[in-house]
Amino acid sequence: MKNPFISLVIILLFIVSPFVQSDTSDETQPDLFFYLPPIISQIAFYLRWVLVVILSINTILNFNKFRINFTFVNKSFFLFYLFPLMYALVTFTDLTRYLFILIFVFLVPISISIEYNKYSSFFNKWFTFCIVFLLAISYLVSFNSITSQVRFQGVFSNSNSYSISACFWLTILLVEKGKIKFNLLKKVLTLFLLISIFLSGSRIALLFSVFIILFHFISDIKNLLKIVIAFIIISYFAINNLNLDFVLDRFLNVANSAEESGRKEIWDSAFSYIQYNKMGYGMNAPDELLKTGNVHNCYIRFLITMGYPFTIAMMIIYFILICKLLFVKKIRIPKALIGFFIAYAFANSGEDYFAGLGSSMFIYILILIGITSSFIVLNQTNNGFKLKTNL
């Protein structure tokens, strides 16, 4: 590796991101094996932005050389976030959030794409090592929760943040150029990730992980059956030997989940405003009208902030992106990545991931846009053609 600096920045960003949301000092879950002090979260918060800025500057300095890596995936996300930025500019509400989202979505994935294209084996190896570390420390932190009626949260301050991150780790674990090598280590890690997602009690994340697994193994039934059978056996043993009713009740009571979690009250309040103004109330409407920063449904959030026209336009762009990933035959992208982007759209019906800037998920999306673009560029190079990327 001639210049490892940018590659090391990406690896560091990968492993730092989860600790941005790792402050467990409030002891909301008293049965954790140990608590991560707030200083870790604070350091990770600032370090994450330093790393993101370094990657952005790297793209700016080398844009003429890197612009081939600005693929239709990058363009789709750029156009997707251009709409809320335009609305924020006109109404001058929540402008900082959407300005920086658009800047980083435009710049960061390009650096990641070019590095991953050159050093994919290096990244696959070190990403796997990072996942081993993050998963090991997550089980250590939440060791007591498995037998203490407490949802698994790993290194995160809450279970939902952990579980969605585990879905990202699962996707990264299954992405590889060339022939898929589903070795013993990856099989074990996949099982431990699925078990931890189940123990987290997150319904959205469990569905998310199912999407990723099904898409990845759609042409590899043998390994799919191995994973499913192993997961069923381990789950059966755990359910019969551990008191997991608190987890099972969450999955068996899906119909009342919105009401029990308080989401229904927020959504009903949002629609009471939306029905009187279908053009939106401004990007800070969740704070000013709903008195909550998190709507727990990004589509409802967009409706109350930007109204129907802008929200529909954004959804059309994302739908076209998914269709291109699925149906353009000349694009050979790992199925796990496609599964992630589809599941991500569904996951936003339960959280505000699209609008998140400070969460770990925003970094994950930047990384996955970059990796996906690297495969598209590789296809262009190998097949001697250039895809039309205009939406």
Side-chain angles (χ1 to χ4, degrees):
M1 186 177 297
K2 294 181 180 179
N3 183 13
F5 177 69
I6 296 300
S7 294
L8 294 176
V9 167
I10 296 170
I11 296 294
L12 188 57
L13 181 63
F14 184 96
I15 201 164
V16 162
S17 297
F19 293 98
V20 172
Q21 296 175 268
S22 67
D23 184 3
T24 58
S25 60
D26 61 355
E27 301 189 10
T28 53
Q29 299 203 41
D31 290 303
L32 296 183
F33 186 70
F34 68 87
Y35 298 95
L36 298 175
I39 188 64
I40 293 179
S41 177
Q42 293 166 10
I43 293 173
F45 176 87
Y46 292 108
L47 181 56
R48 172 263 313 265
W49 291 128
V50 170
L51 298 172
V52 165
V53 169
I54 289 173
L55 293 176
S56 299
I57 293 173
N58 182 60
T59 296
I60 293 171
L61 295 177
N62 299 277
F63 190 76
N64 286 334
K65 182 172 63 174
F66 287 178
R67 60 184 176 181
I68 188 176
N69 290 270
F70 190 64
T71 67
F72 74 84
V73 179
N74 303 71
K75 290 182 179 181
S76 296
F77 275 95
F78 180 82
L79 290 175
F80 181 89
Y81 283 112
L82 185 61
F83 282 95
L85 177 61
M86 288 190 297
Y87 200 101
L89 281 168
V90 173
T91 60
F92 207 73
T93 53
D94 215 1
L95 179 58
T96 303
R97 175 200 299 267
Y98 291 101
L99 176 61
F100 280 107
I101 286 179
L102 190 69
I103 290 173
F104 292 142
V105 162
F106 174 64
L107 294 175
V108 175
I110 295 178
S111 281
I112 294 173
S113 175
I114 194 71
E115 290 299 305
Y116 190 85
N117 226 337
K118 292 189 294 184
Y119 311 119
S120 60
S121 297
F122 169 83
F123 281 111
N124 289 335
K125 179 178 70 175
W126 280 99
F127 281 163
T128 302
F129 289 160
C130 291
I131 292 170
V132 170
F133 168 75
L134 292 168
L135 194 55
I137 195 172
S138 292
Y139 269 93
L140 182 60
V141 169
S142 286
F143 178 79
N144 290 344
S145 69
I146 298 174
T147 57
S148 303
Q149 298 286 293
V150 178
R151 294 172 62 192
F152 191 101
Q153 70 179 69
V155 296
F156 287 80
S157 56
N158 68 75
S159 300
N160 292 333
S161 295
Y162 168 80
S163 58
I164 206 70
S165 295
C167 290
F168 165 72
W169 300 338
L170 178 62
T171 304
I172 291 294
L173 196 66
L174 299 175
V175 170
E176 194 163 329
K177 290 187 176 179
K179 188 177 180 180
I180 298 170
K181 298 176 183 178
F182 197 54
N183 55 33
L184 180 60
L185 176 60
K186 290 192 175 184
K187 290 176 183 177
V188 171
L189 290 175
T190 298
L191 274 174
F192 274 99
L193 283 168
L194 291 175
I195 291 166
S196 67
I197 291 170
F198 173 75
L199 292 173
S200 75
S202 173
R203 292 163 284 237
I204 289 177
L206 188 63
L207 181 62
F208 208 130
S209 62
V210 168
F211 257 90
I212 296 167
I213 292 291
L214 288 179
F215 266 79
H216 179 74
F217 291 109
I218 195 167
S219 58
D220 188 5
I221 302 300
K222 181 180 178 181
N223 276 318
L224 175 61
L225 289 176
K226 287 180 180 179
I227 290 293
V228 171
I229 292 171
F231 180 72
I232 290 174
I233 292 173
I234 294 172
S235 299
Y236 178 81
F237 174 82
I239 291 170
N240 282 277
N241 291 274
L242 301 172
N243 187 0
L244 299 179
D245 290 344
F246 72 103
V247 172
L248 293 174
D249 288 344
R250 289 183 59 82
F251 294 118
L252 297 175
N253 194 26
V254 176
N256 300 321
S257 60
E259 189 169 351
E260 289 180 353
S261 63
R263 284 172 167 82
K264 188 176 185 301
E265 183 179 349
I266 297 173
W267 298 346
D268 289 344
S269 178
F271 277 112
S272 68
Y273 287 104
I274 293 168
Q275 65 179 334
Y276 290 111
N277 182 3
K278 293 178 172 54
M279 301 303 292
Y281 291 89
M283 307 308 288
N284 57 355
D287 292 306
E288 291 190 351
L289 300 181
L290 305 180
K291 308 303 180 185
T292 174
N294 192 351
V295 183
H296 295 288
N297 185 313
C298 210
Y299 304 111
I300 296 177
R301 182 191 185 97
F302 286 154
L303 286 175
I304 196 173
T305 55
M306 300 184 297
Y308 280 91
F310 277 60
T311 301
I312 292 172
M314 292 176 70
M315 294 309 101
I316 290 174
I317 291 171
Y318 199 86
F319 178 75
I320 293 173
L321 168 64
I322 296 300
C323 287
K324 283 198 170 188
L325 291 175
L326 281 171
F327 302 119
V328 176
K329 295 181 179 179
K330 291 182 179 180
I331 306 174
R332 292 188 295 274
I333 297 172
K335 295 294 191 296
L337 288 172
I338 301 175
F340 184 96
F341 285 120
I342 294 174
Y344 185 57
F346 286 103
N348 272 274
S349 64
E351 291 294 344
D352 292 6
Y353 295 125
F354 280 136
L357 175 62
S359 70
S360 302
M361 178 54 75
F362 180 65
I363 301 300
Y364 301 156
I365 287 298
L366 297 181
I367 292 173
L368 289 180
I369 293 172
I371 291 176
T372 305
S373 294
S374 76
F375 280 96
I376 295 171
V377 173
L378 182 67
N379 294 161
Q380 293 174 1
T381 304
N382 290 345
N383 294 324
F385 71 91
K386 184 173 179 62
L387 287 169
K388 294 181 179 179
T389 58
N390 296 324
L391 289 175

